[in-house]
Structure formats: C-alpha cells, structure tokens
Amino acid sequence: MTLRCAVLDDFQSVATTVTDWSPVAGAVEVVTFSTHFATEDELAAALADFDIVVTLRERNAFSADLFARLPRLKLLVASGMRNSVIDFAAAERHGVTVCGTASSSTPPVELTWALLLGLARGIVPEATALRSGAPWQSTLGADLHGRRLGLLGLGKIGSRVARVGLAFGMDVVAWSQNLTKERADEVGTGLAASKEQLLGTSDFVSVHLALGDRTRGLLGAAELALMRPTAYLVNTSRAAIVDQDALLAALHAGTIAGAGIDVFDTEPLPAGHPMRSAPRLLATPHLGYVSRANYATYYGEAVEDIRAFLAGTPVRRLG
C-alpha cells in the first residue's frame, strides 16, 4: 500500500526538487503545501489523510490534541534535531515516530551579517531611493571597524558571527549566563561583565541564544533602554528572547538606531501586523535557515528518515 506524505510550508515549492525522492518512489506519494495552515483545525483537516508529515522547523505545533486528531499519522519528520513545539510524549502514546535532520549553522550566520550590514549602511532605503528617482544619497552609514559588537551567546552560531566581526576590525564582546572567560578567549572575544554592560557599551547587539525559561523575555523595555540611541539590535535567534512590544516602542521612539529582525512571535506575520510597518526596522521573513544547501540537507535527510522508517529501522529519532 502506498503511504501518503505531506510536506508543510514549502513556500518556495522546492522540497521535491532540491533533493532526490526516488528512494521512496512507489512506496510514498508526496504532496507539498506552499501555504501555511495557521490554526490547529486547518492543520488537522489538511493532514487527515496522511501517514507521514514533514514539518519545517518549529512553525507548526504538534500538540497532544493534534496527534489525537490524526489517527493515520505514523511518522513525523522535523527539520533540525531540536524542536520545542512537538509533544513527544503524546507522539509516543499515539504510536507516532518522530525523526529529525541535520541543520547547518552557516545560513543564520550569513543572514546575521546581511541584516547588520544592511542596517549599518542603509542598503534598503538607499536602493529604494535609487530605483524610485529619489534624491541621491540620504543616509550616513555607520562604521563597523573600531566599533563594538556585543553578542548575547557565543555558541556554534555566535562564535562564527564573532569571527566575522573580528575580521572587520570590530571590538567583539560576548555575554551569556554560562559563558566563561576560557570560552571567550578561545573564540577571541572579550567577556562582558554583565548583560547590562554589554547592552550599554555596544554599537551593535546580536542575539544568538537558545530559547528557554532563562532567556524568554531576556530583552525587555528596561534592557532596551540601556542601549545607546546610535546602537542597532539584530535577532536571528528566537523571537521570544526579545519582547516584541518593547522593541516596537523603542523603534517608534527612536531610542535605538534600528533593528534587524528575522524571527517573530507569530509566523507568518499577519497582514497589518505592526512589525510590517515599524520605523527603523529591517525585517526578513525568517530566512535564517533558508538556503539551497540547508534545504538539500533537510529534505535529503527527510527522505533518508522515511526510507529507514519503512525498513523498520528509524534513524535520527527525536524525543
């Protein structure tokens, strides 16, 4: 019997072309969805007739209620090896195997610098002005060389962002609750005495922390108020680390120079959401992981996961 596999949030319609699905051809019928299902009811209705689901990152929550509404589901593949929106206990109760894939840290590092450089040099307003016939030059670029880059988090991604900053000749400092001087020395950065010191002395602040109880709401109104009015904030990590309402208030008040944001409390952002029109904001629709090589890994290993599951030997199991 042919199993049916749903691939969610294939916005670019590339899931079946960036990798070879022939290893499961004949055994699995693949159906891709290029639009997002915003509610559990929509998701349950769309997936009712599928045995396998491939979900992208943490965009779709798989709760106990949803598993109960999908009695046909036997395999859930999530890109990445960490997922906070899947109820693994419920998956096990309902007989659903959950598997993951590898994920590269290179794309979010590169996007972090795209946002930071775009903010510093006013790339979007200047490019828009050039194309529309507006006055020639209107912004004054912020320098990177000799300026301080403050990193919240110095893990796999943060450390690579740090090394690029050092190559630009920036003074790079880092802070997190568990960061040691030995780790900072290993990467070649300074160690900020506190989160407050980092925020108050940095010209650019970039967030590279995992979301958890200690980091949720780490940057609120009080923390953003510590930043210089000439400083920029970049967040390609998790939206909930930065209080969205506090950030919007700071952008509207001009208490920071600007922000580059790739992650949001609700994704995709609803039409008319205030983040779509906030001043001093360079925003991208969660592109941090979206690159050809990373997608080839996601979907290539999803095929491997499906093939292994069909053989009765699941790989890269989560939960």
Side-chain angles (χ1 to χ4, degrees):
M1 183 182 70
T2 300
L3 302 180
R4 302 192 76 219
C5 172
V7 179
L8 299 176
D9 294 326
D10 183 20
F11 298 129
Q12 298 88 0
S13 298
V14 297
T16 58
T17 60
V18 295
T19 196
D20 179 15
W21 287 75
S22 64
V24 296
V28 176
E29 174 196 359
V30 180
V31 178
T32 65
F33 294 92
S34 59
T35 56
H36 179 68
F37 300 113
T39 68
E40 186 175 288
D41 286 344
E42 292 174 351
L43 200 57
L47 300 180
D49 296 326
F50 288 92
D51 310 277
I52 302 167
V53 172
V54 178
T55 184
L56 196 60
R57 303 298 294 171
E58 296 174 322
R59 183 161 288 117
N60 293 286
F62 280 77
S63 66
D65 287 343
L66 182 58
F67 281 117
R69 298 171 72 177
L70 300 174
R72 185 166 163 173
L73 182 63
K74 294 294 179 283
L75 174 65
L76 176 63
V77 178
S79 57
M81 290 299 293
R82 180 168 57 189
N83 197 298
S84 64
V85 298
I86 296 173
D87 188 328
F88 294 106
E92 185 175 4
R93 288 198 305 272
H94 288 278
V96 179
T97 300
V98 184
C99 298
T101 75
S103 182
S104 172
S105 61
T106 297
V109 171
E110 294 175 350
L111 185 72
T112 294
W113 280 102
L115 290 171
L116 195 152
L117 287 165
L119 285 169
R121 299 306 297 268
I123 298 298
V124 172
E126 292 289 8
T128 301
L130 185 146
R131 294 175 66 89
S132 64
W136 187 262
Q137 297 183 3
S138 62
T139 63
L140 186 61
D143 296 279
L144 271 58
H145 184 86
R147 299 301 189 269
R148 171 164 285 192
L149 170 63
L151 300 175
L152 293 170
L154 199 62
K156 185 165 57 174
I157 294 175
S159 61
R160 296 182 65 180
V161 171
R163 293 184 177 107
V164 177
L166 292 169
F168 273 117
M170 301 184 78
D171 170 30
V172 184
V173 299
W175 176 89
S176 70
Q177 289 162 324
N178 296 322
L179 184 60
T180 64
K181 186 177 186 303
E182 289 73 22
R183 172 59 177 167
D185 288 344
E186 177 187 340
V187 177
T189 74
L191 176 63
S194 65
K195 173 183 64 176
E196 291 75 15
Q197 184 201 48
L198 182 143
L199 293 170
T201 62
S202 296
D203 300 290
F204 299 88
V205 175
S206 192
V207 180
H208 302 287
L209 294 164
L211 179 62
D213 292 339
R214 294 194 303 174
T215 60
R216 187 178 299 274
L218 186 73
L219 299 186
E223 288 77 19
L224 293 174
L226 297 173
M227 293 179 62
R228 298 170 174 177
T230 55
Y232 297 89
L233 174 69
V234 176
N235 186 10
T236 58
S237 184
R238 290 293 183 266
I241 296 172
V242 181
D243 184 285
Q244 186 171 266
D245 291 336
L247 176 59
L248 282 167
L251 291 170
H252 280 282
T255 54
I256 62 174
I261 303 297
D262 187 50
V263 287
F264 307 91
D265 289 345
T266 302
E267 295 183 6
L269 274 180
H273 191 283
M275 292 293 279
R276 288 185 178 268
S277 57
R280 304 177 180 86
L281 177 65
L282 175 55
T284 48
H286 206 154
L287 299 179
Y289 59 88
V290 182
S291 77
R292 181 169 295 277
N294 216 25
Y295 269 35
T297 297
Y298 286 171
Y299 294 118
E301 294 197 359
V303 173
E304 293 176 3
D305 289 347
I306 294 168
R307 189 178 186 185
F309 173 79
L310 295 177
T313 54
V315 295
R316 292 184 286 267
R317 297 189 68 162
L318 302 180

